[in-house]
Amino acid sequence: MDKVYENSNAPKVTEDGVYGEIKSQTHPPFSIFTSTILFCAEIVAASVVAAGYSYSEDESWMSLTIVFMLVPSIMVQLTLTFIHRDLGRDRPLILLMHLLQLGPIIRCVEALTVYCTMGREEEPYVSISRKKKLQGWGEAEEEEREVGHSLRRLATHRNAFKRTAVVQAFLGSTPQLTLQLYVSVLERNVPPARAVLMAMCLASTTYGALILNVLAIQIKYDDYKVRLSVPAFLCIVMWRCLEIATRVTVLVLFCSALKAWVAAVALANLLALFLLPWVKFWSSGDSLPQNIEKNFSWFGTVTVLGSVTLLYSAINMFCWSAVQLNLSDRDLIDQSQNWGRLSLHYTIRLLENAALILLWYFYKEDVFEYFCSPLLVVQLLVGYATAIFFMLLFYQYLHPCRFLFSHNVEDCLACVCCRLCIKQRDKGRETAV
């Protein structure tokens, strides 16, 4: 991912505790370019598919395709405007581009301009950043770097695009993927344009889930300089792609067989996930954070918290969010590593997927008799279990800060096995008595 790094020949912390000066450099803004490409590709592909529905007079599918294209686009524009605080600044061209739904493009051009002009003129630093760099087996070295104005602006662009990638993925790409797959199942046909759109949606959703993992690591280990290795990156991609693809497929198949229960299942998931952070907040007795934004009223704060909670529920409906909400905290994020929540989430999702796919198997339409339905059921369950395997592999061996864990996956599994052994031993003693 895009991270600030230092020259390898720069001085580091000396033995007497004095920090050496490190000249800050940066990688090209690949994450900004990737987010912009995915945003534009999905918009174009959705427009082509909507035009196809219009030509075939499928007004309902055309309307839903346009809704799942425009609503996330509007949310992306609002997110970029909010993070860059443009409403209180005199930037009419930027605001016009956002009104035309072209905000990510102009922001990408602006970020590339900042990157290309960095280093041409010497500029005073605006802040000093200190990070710990893990060397292995928990050893860390502290480094200090000067952050200039250009580097700070580029970091703001990167943070904004990371958050918009998550918004685009789970408020737009995932519903769009579900819709297009559902239409394909009903029509028993996958035109090339729809196949391209579904591929773009899956890529966007996988990328958004990858960004979630990176953001979770950066938030929880803010004092450390974190960089994903190539094996860790590939492991997360496999984990997220399998998790999202199998989950969407299970939901679509269930919807095709039991249409009357679709609204009940979807609303139950969204409502439970939406209310969970608020129930935890109300039970704690804390008050709402007052400094999310200086100019926000109480209503504005509640609106922002509601939007964040809606995004949180949409993410957890399809995959693990990697971060947990804490509505009483200014950063809105619970920074603790809670293995219990992770285990509970995947246990419930695995059982739910199994129940939904079994219901589809018993109530499926006659057209699926031409397919090997038992094999499809097994493939979906094995696919989700494989996603869980890649998740455990990442946290156990490939997490960049795994040496800082107080407990890891192996410890949790050993604890569960010990508890089961103790219960069986106690039952054996009771039976002997």
Side-chain angles (χ1 to χ4, degrees):
M1 301 307 297
D2 301 330
K3 292 294 294 180
V4 174
Y5 69 96
E6 290 80 23
N7 291 336
S8 58
N9 58 351
K12 296 183 174 69
V13 179
T14 58
E15 296 180 355
D16 56 356
V18 178
Y19 290 89
E21 181 183 353
I22 296 176
K23 182 181 178 180
S24 294
Q25 297 178 353
T26 185
H27 290 296
F30 293 120
S31 63
I32 296 177
F33 188 71
T34 303
S35 298
T36 307
I37 289 296
L38 288 174
F39 174 82
C40 295
E42 188 172 340
I43 291 292
V44 172
S47 301
V48 173
V49 172
Y53 288 140
S54 176
Y55 180 78
S56 60
E57 297 183 354
D58 293 327
E59 295 182 358
S60 57
W61 302 138
M62 180 192 69
S63 301
L64 289 174
T65 301
I66 293 175
V67 167
F68 292 147
M69 175 182 65
L70 288 182
V71 171
S73 177
I74 294 173
M75 294 299 296
V76 165
Q77 314 304 320
L78 293 176
T79 303
L80 288 173
T81 305
F82 174 78
I83 294 177
H84 287 280
R85 305 173 187 270
D86 286 326
L87 293 179
R89 302 164 62 185
D90 186 17
R91 305 188 70 183
L93 177 60
I94 297 295
L95 294 177
L96 176 62
M97 295 295 287
H98 280 295
L99 290 175
L100 297 176
Q101 305 302 306
L102 298 176
I105 298 178
I106 191 64
R107 296 291 185 184
C108 180
V109 172
E110 188 177 19
L112 291 175
T113 303
V114 172
Y115 174 76
C116 293
T117 56
M118 284 179 59
R120 294 185 178 181
E121 296 181 1
E122 186 175 356
E123 59 181 12
Y125 66 89
V126 294
S127 63
I128 296 178
S129 175
R130 291 177 179 176
K131 294 285 184 179
K132 298 177 182 178
K133 185 177 181 180
L134 288 173
Q135 301 296 327
W137 304 105
E139 298 179 358
E141 291 185 358
E142 288 187 298
E143 297 178 350
E144 178 184 272
R145 65 171 179 261
E146 298 176 353
V147 180
H149 181 67
S150 299
L151 191 60
R152 191 174 183 178
R153 288 180 59 195
L154 192 58
T156 302
H157 280 290
R158 284 172 170 159
N159 291 331
F161 271 90
K162 286 178 181 178
R163 284 150 180 81
T164 55
V166 175
V167 172
Q168 173 68 24
F170 294 100
L171 293 184
S173 300
T174 310
Q176 189 75 269
L177 175 62
T178 306
L179 171 66
Q180 303 306 325
L181 184 58
Y182 179 71
V183 176
S184 300
V185 170
L186 292 183
E187 296 182 352
R188 305 176 188 91
N189 181 35
V190 184
R194 192 187 302 158
V196 171
L197 176 58
M198 289 192 292
M200 290 295 101
C201 290
L202 182 59
S204 177
T205 307
T206 303
Y207 180 72
L210 172 65
I211 293 296
L212 276 175
N213 283 97
V214 175
L215 287 175
I217 296 172
Q218 292 177 348
I219 291 172
K220 293 176 182 179
Y221 304 98
D222 185 54
D223 295 335
Y224 291 86
K225 176 186 172 183
V226 179
R227 183 181 300 172
L228 284 179
S229 62
V230 175
F233 175 83
L234 296 177
C235 186
I236 294 177
V237 170
M238 292 298 298
W239 159 26
R240 293 305 197 172
C241 186
L242 286 171
E243 179 182 11
I244 294 168
T246 53
R247 175 66 174 170
V248 170
T249 305
V250 167
L251 291 176
V252 167
L253 291 177
F254 174 77
C255 294
S256 66
L258 297 170
K259 299 178 177 64
W261 290 90
V262 173
V265 173
L267 289 178
N269 272 276
L270 284 175
L271 191 61
L273 293 169
F274 183 86
L275 293 178
L276 185 61
W278 288 98
V279 171
K280 182 181 177 182
F281 167 72
W282 289 325
S283 62
S284 65
D286 296 329
S287 58
L288 291 175
Q290 301 295 326
N291 50 354
I292 293 180
E293 178 67 28
K294 295 180 180 179
N295 299 325
F296 274 10
S297 62
W298 180 86
F299 178 77
T301 301
V302 173
T303 302
V304 171
L305 294 180
S307 302
V308 172
T309 311
L310 177 62
L311 176 61
Y312 172 80
S313 59
I315 293 170
N316 280 280
M317 184 174 177
F318 292 95
C319 68
W320 172 245
S321 63
V323 293
Q324 301 300 313
L325 286 185
N326 183 6
L327 299 179
S328 60
D329 188 80
R330 178 182 178 274
D331 296 328
L332 305 179
I333 298 298
D334 187 359
Q335 299 186 7
S336 61
Q337 180 70 40
N338 197 316
W339 297 107
R341 293 178 183 175
L342 180 66
S343 304
L344 183 62
H345 172 87
Y346 279 102
T347 301
I348 293 176
R349 280 288 175 257
L350 183 59
L351 294 176
E352 183 187 9
N353 286 346
L356 294 179
I357 197 63
L358 288 176
L359 287 173
W360 167 80
Y361 178 76
F362 289 112
Y363 293 96
K364 64 182 181 296
E365 297 178 353
D366 295 336
V367 66
F368 288 100
E369 296 297 335
Y370 296 99
F371 297 91
C372 186
S373 300
L375 179 60
L376 180 58
V377 171
V378 173
Q379 286 176 337
L380 290 173
L381 294 179
V382 170
Y384 199 81
T386 306
I388 296 177
F389 167 77
F390 279 109
M391 180 268 295
L392 297 176
L393 180 66
F394 170 73
Y395 279 108
Q396 179 65 32
Y397 298 108
L398 300 175
H399 195 287
C401 299
R402 61 189 179 276
F403 299 113
L404 303 177
F405 291 168
S406 57
H407 302 284
N408 56 18
V409 176
E410 184 180 0
D411 296 333
C412 295
L413 294 177
C415 181
V416 172
C417 293
C418 289
R419 289 180 180 177
L420 293 176
C421 292
I422 292 174
K423 288 182 179 180
Q424 291 180 357
R425 184 183 62 185
D426 293 340
K427 290 181 179 179
R429 289 179 179 178
E430 291 176 359
T431 305
V433 172

